[in-house]
Amino acid sequence: MAQNCLKCLKYIMCAVNFLFFISGAIMLGYGVYLTGYQTHSLLKSMKFLTVANLLLVSGIIVTCVSFLGFIGALKENRCFLLTFFILLLILMLVELSVACLLLIYESKISKVLEEDLNAGLQHEKNNNSTMTHLKSDWNLVQKTFSCCGVNGSSDWGTQVPQSCCPTPADIPCLPRDSEKQEEAASSLYPIHAKGCLGALKEWFENNFLTTGIAVIALCVMEVLGMCISMTLFCHISSSGLSYKL
């Protein structure tokens, strides 16, 4: 009976880690794809913190950790299982630490974030002559959340990017003539009025419960993964199977 339970745990761990490996590979691939489209971060002080880079790092971590768990369980390798356990423990501690810091320093983080977003937006304005073809995460955020600028479209001045417009890319809502740029910022044109900082805050507030449940579910899965890996590790050790591959 005990052997059957251990085999069941082994194959469950293999299946779950295989699914995570596939998910990590998709994230990694999408991150590579986005590197050709997003070249600048929203934040000036953290230029490396782009959506593409986040997906790349997350994909690498997920694929590596899930690969260790899959091979460790399949081959009953103590070294891989122990490494998998340690990495999951580190990831869970980091996630909980970040969540606690966000809750404790929420107001300070919000203020610093607004200042950094404004600095990043000014940097984009100064370094992009054609704002309608802006190549940064601003495009992705403004299109996703139907917003414009940090606090509103006025943040861009007369250089409002195309991503601030709800119309398709092939139907420009902003006139290309430089003489009409000032007129473009008026309410006659369908530019998103909501600022991205407010849109992001609103999204997090509306999805606070869902985000919390997702974080708790992730931590529970990590704890279960650690328990299963340590159970298999102890079984392999007691059976004298050593570090076989």
Side-chain angles (χ1 to χ4, degrees):
M1 183 66 180
Q3 290 295 326
N4 291 333
C5 290
L6 288 169
K7 284 184 179 180
C8 182
L9 289 177
K10 171 183 173 178
Y11 292 122
I12 287 174
M13 187 170 175
C14 287
V16 172
N17 279 287
F18 179 75
L19 292 175
F20 272 100
F21 181 84
I22 298 298
S23 302
I26 293 172
M27 292 170 61
L28 185 59
Y30 190 55
V32 173
Y33 169 77
L34 285 180
T35 52
Y37 293 89
Q38 274 85 46
T39 58
H40 301 101
S41 173
L42 293 171
L43 307 176
K44 185 179 179 181
S45 63
M46 292 184 285
K47 296 180 180 180
F48 61 91
L49 197 63
T50 64
V51 173
N53 289 341
L54 288 174
L55 286 173
L56 285 172
V57 173
S58 301
I60 291 171
I61 292 174
V62 172
T63 51
C64 290
V65 174
S66 58
F67 177 79
L68 287 173
F70 177 79
I71 296 297
L74 184 65
K75 298 295 184 179
E76 298 184 352
N77 184 286
R78 290 195 303 169
C79 183
F80 281 11
L81 287 171
L82 184 59
T83 305
F84 175 77
F85 175 87
I86 294 172
L87 289 176
L88 276 186
L89 179 61
I90 293 172
L91 285 174
M92 188 178 69
L93 292 176
V94 170
E95 291 163 6
L96 292 175
S97 300
V98 170
C100 291
L101 289 174
L102 288 175
L103 290 173
I104 295 173
Y105 300 104
E106 181 182 359
S107 58
K108 291 183 179 179
I109 292 173
S110 178
K111 184 178 180 180
V112 172
L113 181 62
E114 182 176 2
E115 293 174 354
D116 215 1
L117 284 173
N118 280 311
L121 186 142
Q122 291 300 322
H123 177 74
E124 290 299 313
K125 287 173 62 177
N126 296 332
N127 289 276
N128 288 275
S129 57
T130 308
M131 300 306 293
T132 53
H133 295 91
L134 182 67
K135 290 188 69 177
S136 76
D137 287 343
W138 280 105
N139 272 335
L140 180 63
V141 172
Q142 290 178 154
K143 287 179 181 178
T144 303
F145 294 96
S146 299
C147 59
C148 188
V150 180
N151 297 303
S153 59
S154 59
D155 292 337
W156 290 108
T158 58
Q159 295 180 314
V160 183
Q162 183 68 34
S163 55
C164 281
C165 308
T167 58
D170 57 340
I171 307 177
C173 67
L174 301 179
R176 305 298 188 197
D177 189 350
S178 59
E179 296 179 359
K180 298 181 180 179
Q181 285 295 322
E182 195 155 327
E183 186 183 358
S186 71
S187 58
L188 297 174
Y189 293 88
I191 302 172
H192 296 305
K194 186 187 297 183
C196 291
L197 182 63
L200 288 170
K201 287 182 178 179
E202 183 179 336
W203 184 88
F204 279 112
E205 289 174 359
N206 293 337
N207 295 275
F208 182 78
L209 180 60
T210 305
T211 305
I213 292 174
V215 171
I216 293 172
L218 182 61
C219 289
V220 169
M221 291 182 68
E222 288 171 342
V223 171
L224 288 175
M226 288 188 291
C227 292
I228 294 174
S229 63
M230 189 51 61
T231 301
L232 292 174
F233 177 85
C234 294
H235 166 68
I236 295 168
S237 300
S238 62
S239 302
L241 296 177
S242 188
Y243 297 90
K244 75 170 189 176
L245 290 171

